[in-house]
Amino acid sequence: MRAVLTSLCILSALIAPGASLLCQQCTDLQHNNCSTSAPVQCHSSQTHCVSILRQTILSVGGPKMMSIIKSCGTKKDCDLTTSTNAGSFQMITSSKCCNTDNCNPPQINIPLKETNPNGLYCMSCYSGSIDTCDKKENTTCVGGEDRCIQYGVTIKSGGQDMKIAVHGCATRNMCDTQARAAYYGSSFEVKGFQCSSGTRPQLGLFLSALTGLLLMKLFS
Ligand SMILES: *[C@@H]1O[C@H](CO)[C@@H](O)[C@H](O)[C@H]1NC(C)=O
Ligand SMILES: *[C@@H]1O[C@H](CO)[C@@H](O)[C@H](O)[C@H]1NC(C)=O
């Protein structure tokens, strides 16, 4: 029996590399569509082909800029919609997955930005030229943006690096993924990443007292 199991193991180890998924791998920072002539072979842990569409607005009422990332991914990269809000800088991302060779979803819809204030505030700033910025604006978080986030990103596009810095409100999945939900793959280097819960006027003290009580109960 053991011998059979061992040979089965060896067999599956031999078969595994050939069975790994093929996906498109491309990034287009200016359009909502990209494609590669030759798909790449995914790592055996990468069970999905993922496409991430990112919509950015740099000034209130300004044009919507789109970029797309296609890559190999895992299940946790799938079906994520994120929202980030640094006053004038507004970003929404949406990801979709599939699990057959070269299937990266071509069409992704960006949901409408939620506009209802949720009672939280974050200090925000944005820089489109360096990867740090000084906090200055008190920004109202909207919809599901229940975290204050800050990060810098170096974007490698062609030979030239671009740097941006964002401090503001964000949905929790931006924190959970360390901003990978928006800046996925080797074209992006995220630095100075931090998250905290948004401040709620007056309620803050009450909530931390409540959390303290709950923790005491949990551990007593
Ligand atoms: C994306 O681009 C490819 C190749 O340039 C084209 O064949 C395809 O139809 C485009 N898809 C969409 C959704 O525009
Ligand atoms: C941000 O604005 C809100 C509402 O006006 C206020 O309650 C809060 O204290 C302000 N936060 C800071 C840090 O100024």
Side-chain angles (χ1 to χ4, degrees):
M1 190 60 193
R2 175 163 293 193
V4 171
L5 275 180
T6 308
S7 35
L8 271 180
C9 279
I10 291 171
L11 202 65
S12 59
L14 283 174
I15 288 170
S20 82
L21 189 65
L22 299 172
C23 295
Q24 304 214 348
Q25 189 164 55
C26 57
T27 302
D28 192 322
L29 297 171
Q30 260 116 42
H31 304 95
N32 62 358
N33 189 11
C34 71
S35 59
T36 39
S37 45
V40 298
Q41 190 135 49
C42 300
H43 188 269
S44 58
S45 65
Q46 297 174 307
T47 50
H48 290 73
C49 294
V50 58
S51 299
I52 301 170
L53 189 62
R54 173 154 44 94
Q55 172 188 287
T56 312
I57 301 173
L58 292 185
S59 57
V60 178
K64 291 173 179 170
M65 296 179 292
M66 302 304 246
S67 51
I68 193 159
I69 303 160
K70 291 183 184 175
S71 188
C72 298
T74 60
K75 197 163 197 313
K76 65 178 174 23
D77 303 314
C78 306
D79 298 311
L80 290 178
T81 296
T82 75
S83 177
T84 306
N85 162 15
S88 56
F89 173 93
Q90 302 278 330
M91 177 174 77
I92 302 178
T93 71
S94 187
S95 73
K96 285 269 169 289
C97 291
C98 49
N99 56 10
T100 56
D101 280 347
N102 209 18
C103 69
N104 300 67
Q107 204 79 55
I108 299 174
N109 294 321
I110 294 283
L112 282 179
K113 171 90 187 171
E114 292 186 74
T115 52
N116 289 340
N118 62 22
L120 300 174
Y121 296 88
C122 300
M123 297 310 283
S124 74
C125 60
Y126 169 76
S127 166
S129 53
I130 55 171
D131 56 13
T132 58
C133 66
D134 292 322
K135 294 188 181 66
K136 47 186 187 313
E137 222 180 289
N138 186 352
T139 292
T140 305
C141 304
V142 297
E145 298 166 350
D146 62 353
R147 289 290 183 274
C148 294
I149 199 171
Q150 64 181 69
Y151 58 84
V153 188
T154 302
I155 301 165
K156 294 163 205 150
S157 87
Q160 230 172 336
D161 283 0
M162 277 162 31
K163 286 178 193 289
I164 63 167
V166 176
H167 293 199
C169 310
T171 46
R172 192 174 302 200
N173 48 12
M174 278 293 282
C175 296
D176 295 344
T177 61
Q178 304 245 322
R180 256 170 61 96
Y183 307 100
Y184 188 94
S186 55
S187 306
F188 306 98
E189 193 183 312
V190 176
K191 318 178 178 167
F193 182 88
Q194 277 181 42
C195 270
S196 58
S197 47
T199 58
R200 193 185 293 276
Q202 285 110 40
L203 265 176
L205 265 180
F206 169 72
L207 279 182
S208 45
L210 192 68
T211 312
L213 277 176
L214 283 175
L215 283 178
M216 275 167 60
K217 265 221 128 43
L218 263 177
F219 291 111
S220 63

